[in-house]
RNA sequence: GCGCUCGUAGCUCAACGGAUAGAGCAUCUGAUUACGGAUCAGAAGGUUGGGGGUUCGAUUCCCUCCGAGCGCACCA
C-alpha cells in the first residue's frame, strides 16, 4: 500500500534528519479534505514535545530529508495547519490501486492479521425453548459478519451454537408444552407463547394421545432445535458446531472443573453451597458454583464449556452476548483465569456485549418476551422481508448502541432502504458489462489499457475509496465492528452512482471505454466483497415491483 | 446504592486523539433525447446532554452532574 511506502520514507527521513520515532509510530492517514492532499501525517506535531521544537520547524526538517528518498507518486509535500505534513500525489498512485484490486480479485482488501489463528466464535445461543425472536436476528447477522471479517484476515473461524439443554429452563419449557398438550393450566412461571399451542398439536399428530412429560421434553427440544436451524438457514447462517450442554455433565467435565478449582484453592463452602472466590480475583462478588441442593450453576457449567472449547485447540474464544448478560462477563473470565486460561489483559473468552434491539411497529415499541407470549420471531420478519434487508438493517450500526428496528420501515421495501441503494449500484455495474458485451466490446488485457485516462474526479474518488478498503476491513476485524463495512459500502455505492451519472463508460473514445470498463470491474470486486462479508447478496439485476414504480398507486 | 453501555442535525445513525463533526430519511430547490431515475446536484439543519480537567489539538481520554437502557440470585 502507498501509505506504507510513505510511512517508510518518513521513517528513513526521520533517521536522516536525526529525529526520533514518535511513541505511537508513524501514522499516515487518508486526508478527508482534498485541500489537504491525499495523505497526511501528524509526526511533526507528535514529536514537538520530545524534540523541543515547533511542529512547523520539525516538519520542514522532515521535508528536506524526504528529498533524499521521496516516496513514489508524490508531487509535493506541504506543511499546513498546526503542523500536518500533507502529501499531494499524482493520480498515478490511484491507477496502481486499480491494478492491485484486479490482481487480488476476490481477495482484494483481505489481510493476514489473524493468519494461523483458530478462533471459536459463539453467537446467538438462545435457550432452546422457542423460536428465535426478532431481536436475536441482530446477533445472527453480527456474528456471521464478524466471522467473515476474521476469516478475511486469515483466521480459521469456527461458528458455534451452545444449546443450553440441561438446565431448568428446558424443564419449564417441557412442562409448558405438556400443559398445552394436555389442556392443563400453564405453570405460573411457564412459557405463555402461542407457538406452544401449535407445537402441541403437531406433537399430538406425531406421537398420539399418550405422551408423557419426558417424551414432551425430548420431542419439544428436538423440534425447537429444528426450528432454530431452519430459521438460521433462511437467513443463510450456518454453524459448524451445535454444542450440547448435556455432554459436559455426562462426560464429567463440570465435576473436573470444580475439582481443579477446589484443588487450587479458589473455592470455599458457605451455607451448604460451593462458592468461587471470584471477588479476590477481581469480580464484583463471590459466585456460587454448586447450589446447596447439589445442582451446578450456570457459571460452573459455562466454565466447563469454555474450557472444552480451548481444549478443542482454539487459540482464541469470542462470545457475543446480549447486554442483559453483562453481569456474568467478569465471573466467567475470572473463573477461566483461575483455571489457567487467558490473562488479565487478554482474558478468555473475549466477550462482545451487544445492546438489545427494540422493535417498533406503528410508531410504538413492541415488547418482546418469550414467556409473556407477545413474540415477534425472526421467522416473522423473514416472512415479510428479504434476508438481505434484515441482515444489512441489523448491521447498519455499532453493537454498543441500542437499536430500534422499525418494522414498518423495514418491511415497507421502500426506496429509502439502503440495501437496494447498494445492491442497485452493483446491478448497474453488471448492467454496463452486459451492455458492453452486447456491443461486442470485451475488456482488453489490463496491461494494455491506458489507465492514465482516468482523471475525472468521480473516477479518482472511486479509486480512493478502494484504496481505503483494506484499512476499513482490518479495522473492522480488529474492533469486531462490521458496521464499519456497512458504512463504507454505502458511501462507495454513493460514489459509484455519482460516477455513473457523470461519466459514461461505453462511449466514442475506445481507449477511455476500456479504462472505464476496468474501473467498473474493480468497483464490482470491491462492492461484491464488502456485501459478501456482510452476508448480503450482490445481484446482477434487480426486479422492480409495481409497488415501487407507483408508490402512490398513481397514474403512470 | 453499586456496576456496565449509551447520550451527536427534526428522526435513524457515523466519525484510528487531528484541520471546517459526516451520511441516510424527512423539508426546500434543481437535473434525464445515452450504459436501469431504486439515480444525481444544491440548500437548510449542530453549544457533539451540562460543567470541569489532561494537551499543540477532545465527539473521542479522565472527573463530576443530569438523562436513558441493562445488570447487581444458591435463574439461565
Amino acid at each position: 500500500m502507498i501509505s506504507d511506502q510513505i510511512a517508510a520514507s518518513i521513517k528513513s527521513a526521520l533517521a536522516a534528519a536525526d529525529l526520533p520515532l514518535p511513541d505511537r509510530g508513524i501514522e499516515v492517514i487518508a486526508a478527508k479534505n482534498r485541500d489537504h492532499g491525499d495523505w497526511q501525517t501528524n509526526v511533526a506535531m507528535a514529536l514537538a514535545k520530545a524534540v523541543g521544537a515547533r511542529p512547523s520547524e520539525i516538519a520542514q526538517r522532515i521535508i528536506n530529508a524526504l528529498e533524499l528518498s521521496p516516496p513514489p507518486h508524490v508531487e509535493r509535500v506541504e506543511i499546513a495547519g498546526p503542523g500536518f505534513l500533507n502529501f499531494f500525489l499524482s493520480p498515478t498512485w490511484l491507477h496502481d490501486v486499480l491494478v492491485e484490486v484486479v490482481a487480488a480479485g476476490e481477495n482484494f482488501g483481505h489481510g493476514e492479521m489473524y493468519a494461523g489463528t483458530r478462533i471459536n466464535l459463539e453467537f446467538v445461543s438462545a435457550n432452546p425453548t422457542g423460536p428465535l425472536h426478532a431481536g436475536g436476528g441482530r446477533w445472527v447477522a453480527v456474528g456471521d459478519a464478524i466471522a467473515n471479517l476474521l476469516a478475511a484476515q486469515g483466521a480459521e473461524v469456527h461458528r458455534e451454537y451452545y444449546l443450553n439443554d440441561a438446565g431448568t429452563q428446558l424443564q419449564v419449557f417441557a412442562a409448558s408444552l405438556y400443559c398445552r398438550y394436555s389442556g392443563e393450566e400453564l405453570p405460573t412461571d411457564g412459557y405463555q407463547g402461542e407457538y406452544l399451542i401449535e407445537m402441541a398439536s403437531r406433537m399430538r399428530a406425531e406421537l398420539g394421545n399418550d405422551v408423557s412429560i419426558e417424551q414432551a421434553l425430548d420431542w419439544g427440544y428436538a423440534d425447537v432445535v429444528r426450528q432454530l436451524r431452519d430459521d438460521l438457514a433462511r437467513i443463510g447462517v450456518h454453524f459448524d458446531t451445535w454444542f450440547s450442554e448435556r455432554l459436559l455433565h455426562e462426560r464429567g467435565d463440570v465435576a473436573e472443573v470444580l475439582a481443579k478449582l477446589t484443588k487450587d484453592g479458589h473455592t470455599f463452602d458457605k451455607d451448604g453451597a460451593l462458592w468461587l472466590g471470584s471477588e479476590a480475583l477481581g469480580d464484583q462478588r463471590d459466585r456460587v458454583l454448586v447450589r446447596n441442593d447439589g445442582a451446578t450453576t450456570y457459571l460452573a457449567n459455562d466454565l466447563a464449556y469454555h474450557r472444552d472449547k480451548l481444549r478443542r485447540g482454539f487459540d482464541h474464544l469470542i462470545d457475543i452476548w446480549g447486554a442483559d448478560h453483562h453481569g456474568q462477563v467478569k465471573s466467567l473470565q475470572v473463573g477461566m483465569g483461575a483455571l489457567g486460561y487467558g490473562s488479565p489483559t487478554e482474558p478468555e473468552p473475549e466477550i462482545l456485549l451487544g445492546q438489545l434491539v427494540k422493535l417498533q411497529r406503528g410508531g410504538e415499541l413492541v415488547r418482546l418476551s418469550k414467556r409473556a407470549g407477545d413474540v415477534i420471531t425472526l421467522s416473522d420478519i423473514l416472512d415479510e422481508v428479504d434476508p438481505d434487508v434484515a441482515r444489512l438493517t441489523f448491521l447498519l450500526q455499532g453493537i454498543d448502541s441500542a437499536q430500534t428496528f422499525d418494522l414498518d420501515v423495514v418491511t415497507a421495501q421502500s426506496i429509502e432502504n439502503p440495501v437496494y441503494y447498494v445492491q442497485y449500484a452493483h446491478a448497474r455495474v453488471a448492467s454496463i458489462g452486459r451492455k458492453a458485451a452486447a456491443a461486442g466490446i470485451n475488456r482488453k488485457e489490463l496491461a494494455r489499457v491506458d489507465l492514465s485516462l482516468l482523471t475525472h474526479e468521480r473516477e479518482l474518488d472511486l479509486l480512493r475509496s478502494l484504496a481505503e478498503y483494506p484499512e476499513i476491513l482490518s479495522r473492522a476485524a480488529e474492533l469486531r465492528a462490521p458496521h464499519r463495512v456497512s458504512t463504507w459500502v454505502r458511501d462507495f455505492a454513493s460514489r459509484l452512482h455519482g460516477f455513473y451519472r457523470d461519466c459514461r463508460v461505453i462511449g466514442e473514445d475506445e481507449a477511455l471505454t476500456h479504462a472505464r470498463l476496468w474501473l467498473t470491474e474493480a468497483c464490482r470486486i470491491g462492492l461484491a466483497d464488502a456485501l459478501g462479508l456482510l452476508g448480503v447478496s450482490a445481484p446482477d439485476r434487480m426486479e422492480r415491483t409495481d409497488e415501487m414504480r407507483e408508490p402512490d398507486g398513481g397514474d403512470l
Side-chain angles (χ1 to χ4, degrees):
Chain A
M1 288 307 312
I2 184 74
S3 55
D4 297 328
Q5 294 175 298
I6 294 174
S9 289
I10 294 172
K11 191 174 178 184
S12 46
L14 288 176
D18 201 24
L19 289 164
L21 219 55
D23 294 340
R24 298 224 301 274
I26 295 169
E27 297 174 356
V28 177
I29 63 175
K32 272 191 268 180
N33 189 328
R34 275 291 74 72
D35 295 340
H36 300 150
D38 295 290
W39 296 90
Q40 61 183 41
T41 182
N42 61 353
V43 287
M45 290 179 288
L47 287 174
K49 192 163 219 173
V51 176
R54 287 200 316 277
S56 56
E57 187 184 321
I58 298 171
Q60 190 57 53
R61 284 167 65 186
I62 295 173
I63 288 181
N64 295 342
L66 268 175
E67 282 170 12
L68 300 174
S69 58
H73 303 294
V74 170
E75 288 187 332
R76 67 178 199 279
V77 186
E78 286 182 359
I79 304 170
F84 288 102
L85 276 175
N86 292 339
F87 292 79
F88 292 77
L89 275 59
S90 148
T92 50
W93 82 275
L94 289 166
H95 303 147
D96 285 0
V97 169
L98 199 165
V99 175
E100 281 174 40
V101 174
V102 171
E106 60 185 16
N107 288 318
F108 172 68
H110 297 201
E112 299 293 320
M113 189 190 301
Y114 300 122
T117 310
R118 293 190 69 208
I119 298 177
N120 181 297
L121 179 68
E122 183 203 333
F123 58 109
V124 187
S125 294
N127 278 338
T129 56
L132 270 180
H133 66 72
R138 188 177 197 185
W139 314 132
V140 175
V142 167
D144 198 49
I146 289 178
N148 289 337
L149 286 172
L150 296 174
Q153 294 299 324
E156 181 187 325
V157 184
H158 192 89
R159 292 164 171 81
E160 183 144 331
Y161 194 115
Y162 184 48
L163 286 167
N164 222 212
D165 54 7
T168 54
Q169 291 305 316
L170 202 60
Q171 305 292 335
V172 174
F173 161 76
S176 304
L177 173 62
Y178 184 80
C179 288
R180 290 297 196 185
Y181 168 81
S182 64
E184 291 168 34
E185 192 138 331
L186 281 174
T188 49
D189 62 344
Y191 289 86
Q192 312 283 322
E194 297 200 350
Y195 63 90
L196 281 175
I197 299 173
E198 179 270 333
M199 281 181 66
S201 79
R202 272 194 295 116
M203 182 167 76
R204 185 180 306 281
E206 287 182 30
L207 301 183
N209 294 318
D210 194 24
V211 174
S212 69
I213 192 160
E214 290 78 14
Q215 286 175 296
L217 191 152
D218 289 343
W219 183 90
Y221 171 56
D223 192 68
V224 164
V225 171
R226 186 190 52 72
Q227 289 181 49
L228 292 172
R229 284 181 192 268
D230 288 352
D231 289 352
L232 289 163
R234 281 183 80 184
I235 201 167
V237 174
H238 163 80
F239 282 86
D240 299 299
T241 297
W242 291 72
F243 193 93
S244 163
E245 181 192 346
R246 289 175 186 170
L247 180 63
L248 298 170
H249 296 87
E250 291 164 5
R251 220 167 45 184
D253 286 21
V254 180
E256 264 181 44
V257 163
L258 294 173
K260 167 122 171 80
L261 288 171
T262 299
K263 180 164 91 50
D264 293 343
H266 293 297
T267 64
F268 61 92
D269 293 299
K270 193 176 97 180
D271 304 332
L274 181 73
W275 294 68
L276 175 69
S278 42
E279 188 172 353
L281 299 169
D283 198 359
Q284 292 272 117
R285 53 191 283 280
D286 293 329
R287 311 277 173 177
V288 172
L289 290 169
V290 184
R291 294 191 259 152
N292 59 15
D293 66 0
T296 54
T297 62
Y298 183 85
L299 173 61
N301 305 334
D302 223 20
L303 286 170
Y305 174 45
H306 285 85
R307 185 190 72 143
D308 178 76
K309 284 195 224 176
L310 286 167
R311 286 189 157 194
R312 276 185 270 149
F314 293 106
D315 301 305
H316 185 47
L317 309 180
I318 303 177
D319 290 3
I320 301 179
W321 290 1
D324 52 339
H325 290 89
H326 81 253
Q328 302 158 230
V329 172
K330 200 72 180 173
S331 37
L332 177 60
Q333 291 179 335
V334 151
M336 288 300 286
L339 287 168
Y341 300 107
S343 69
T345 50
E346 294 191 16
E348 292 290 356
E350 170 187 347
I351 294 172
L352 309 179
L353 287 176
Q355 298 298 312
L356 302 182
V357 177
K358 295 177 212 163
L359 287 185
Q360 197 176 50
R361 172 168 270 164
E364 296 197 356
L365 288 181
V366 182
R367 286 198 59 187
L368 282 180
S369 165
K370 224 184 280 184
R371 287 194 171 190
D374 185 15
V375 183
I376 295 178
T377 65
L378 178 60
S379 180
D380 291 338
I381 298 226
L382 294 176
D383 287 342
E384 294 190 58
V385 303
D386 197 89
D388 289 335
V389 174
R391 284 237 201 182
L392 191 63
T393 303
F394 282 122
L395 293 172
L396 242 27
Q397 56 192 268
I399 63 168
D400 47 10
S401 67
Q403 179 172 40
T404 303
F405 198 99
D406 191 325
L407 293 161
D408 296 326
V409 170
V410 174
T411 58
Q413 301 228 19
S414 63
I415 295 166
E416 68 216 39
N417 199 313
V419 180
Y420 302 121
Y421 183 83
V422 175
Q423 290 185 325
Y424 184 48
H426 188 271
R428 268 188 155 168
V429 170
S431 171
I432 291 172
R434 285 193 297 272
K435 196 85 178 180
I441 305 170
N442 293 304
R443 285 196 306 263
K444 281 197 299 194
E445 193 185 333
L446 181 56
R448 291 169 47 216
V449 171
D450 184 4
L451 295 177
S452 71
L453 296 172
L454 301 175
T455 54
H456 195 285
E457 199 49 40
R458 294 289 202 182
E459 297 168 329
L460 301 181
D461 255 356
L462 285 170
L463 291 169
R464 282 193 191 96
S465 266
L466 286 169
E468 289 168 16
Y469 186 61
E471 178 74 14
I472 296 286
L473 289 191
S474 62
R475 281 299 284 177
E478 200 176 357
L479 299 173
R480 286 72 161 113
H483 77 277
R484 286 174 175 254
V485 180
S486 314
T487 304
W488 179 86
V489 83
R490 289 166 83 183
D491 177 70
F492 188 62
S494 163
R495 294 180 190 221
L496 198 47
H497 286 310
F499 160 78
Y500 178 88
R501 172 74 188 189
D502 290 349
C503 303
R504 191 179 164 75
V505 175
I506 302 165
E508 310 268 308
D509 185 334
E510 193 191 334
L512 183 59
T513 295
H514 280 280
R516 285 182 170 169
L517 278 174
W518 275 109
L519 175 62
T520 55
E521 170 62 7
C523 291
R524 190 198 59 74
I525 290 170
L527 266 183
D529 188 65
L531 287 173
L533 291 173
L534 297 174
V536 176
S537 67
D540 286 341
R541 11 176 135 241
M542 295 175 70
E543 300 299 323
R544 208 193 295 199
T545 66
D546 289 344
E547 188 188 343
M548 279 185 163
R549 212 172 286 133
E550 303 174 57
D552 306 316
D555 49 354
L556 273 185

